Amino acid sequence: MSKKNPIKEAADIAAPALGAAGSKALAQAIDDLAKNTDNEIGQQLLGWVEGAVKTNGPGAVVAIKDWIVDLAEGDKIPPFPDPPPPLRIQSDMLAALQNAEADDKSKFRDQMVLIGDALGSVLLGIVSGLIK
Amino acid sequence: MKYLSAILLLATVLSSGCVSKHVIRDRSAWETEAAFVNNLVVAEQNAISALMNRSCRCDGDGEWVYAGAADQICAEAAEALVVVRARWAWHYQMMLFNAGTIEERPAEKAPAIPDPSSLCEEMTDE
């Protein structure tokens, strides 16, 4: 069952013709969604989108609506939208993703070390038992 | 042992129908790709720098000009150049680290990206 999505609703009704009022409403909806998004990278990106709406109006956001919805609700970060955000933002996004992957990798390695230690102890116990 | 094999087989069959969150690549091909992308970025960075040096200047307010007039192409080139110079090496090292090609993780915080006007002096040198 699909849940009600404030961005989709706002973007569906927003249009460049709505001007400042539409931009404000859409920026507010994006801000609310960012606060409720349990995803640090998603929050950063939604912050960029919110800024873009305030600066350029809702037109650009309507164009990348599907991408925003994927970002806000999906389990994964979709590749950059078209048109992409500025290179600085892209770099920040990528840095956050790379750090998250590196953290996971370090965690995985630590877990493997723990498992290796545990297995080593078990093997040592078996070998000791055999020698006796 | 049979029981364990059956579980592993079932897990493989079930997971094969899903879209994986990971990508498995041939190591040699990936490392060659990464090295090529790095060489390409560095070559483009040097080319942008040389072309900017030939054509782009800053006015007294730090705005980019070409032939005496405000120039968007120079401004965009300056922005791209500061991002590449500040961040590419870090992103590249992270790529290699996350792929297991290098052991040492880069600093967690990516380097700060300076303002494009930081290039003004360099591009004004004759």
Side-chain angles (χ1 to χ4, degrees), chain B residues 44-120:
Chain B
E44 287 179 339
Q45 176 183 319
N46 292 339
I48 290 175
S49 179
L51 287 168
M52 281 190 70
N53 216 328
R54 182 189 286 178
S55 308
C56 302
R57 297 289 179 268
C58 291
D59 65 11
D61 299 324
E63 301 298 321
W64 290 97
V65 295
Y66 170 66
D71 191 79
Q72 188 61 23
I73 292 174
C74 284
E76 288 174 6
E79 171 67 8
L81 190 56
V82 290
V83 173
V84 170
R85 280 185 177 176
R87 289 287 177 84
W88 171 247
W90 186 91
H91 285 305
Y92 183 54
Q93 292 301 305
M94 265 296 195
M95 278 171 62
L96 298 180
F97 175 77
N98 282 331
T101 301
I102 59 171
E103 286 293 316
E104 193 174 343
R105 179 176 174 167
E108 189 164 340
K109 193 166 171 52
I113 302 171
D115 191 85
S117 63
S118 64
L119 297 174
C120 285

Side-chain angles (χ1 to χ4, degrees), chain B residues 2 9 16 26 31 55 67 83 87 114 123 126:
Chain B
K2 265 186 180 176
L9 181 64
S16 65
D26 177 87
E31 287 180 354
S55 308
V83 173
R87 289 287 177 84
M123 298 305 163
E126 294 296 334

Side-chain angles (χ1 to χ4, degrees), chain A residues 27-123:
Chain A
Q28 185 60 50
I30 292 168
D31 185 47
D32 291 345
L33 188 64
K35 284 174 185 161
N36 293 322
T37 298
D38 183 22
N39 178 330
E40 189 188 341
I41 300 165
Q43 286 174 354
Q44 280 182 9
L45 284 171
L46 287 168
W48 162 68
V49 174
E50 183 192 353
V53 171
K54 284 176 177 165
T55 309
N56 304 317
V61 175
V62 171
I64 59 170
K65 178 188 66 180
D66 291 342
W67 180 84
I68 296 170
V69 171
D70 285 349
L71 171 72
E73 293 194 343
D75 293 331
K76 68 184 180 76
I77 304 295
F80 299 120
D82 186 21
L87 282 176
R88 284 168 189 265
I89 304 289
Q90 291 183 48
S91 177
D92 286 344
M93 289 163 59
L94 180 58
L97 280 171
Q98 287 182 310
N99 267 322
E101 186 182 356
D103 289 343
D104 279 351
K105 189 183 163 199
S106 301
K107 210 180 297 170
F108 177 76
R109 190 183 286 178
D110 291 346
Q111 285 168 349
M112 288 301 105
V113 169
L114 283 176
I115 291 169
D117 285 350
L119 280 176
S121 301
V122 170
L123 283 174

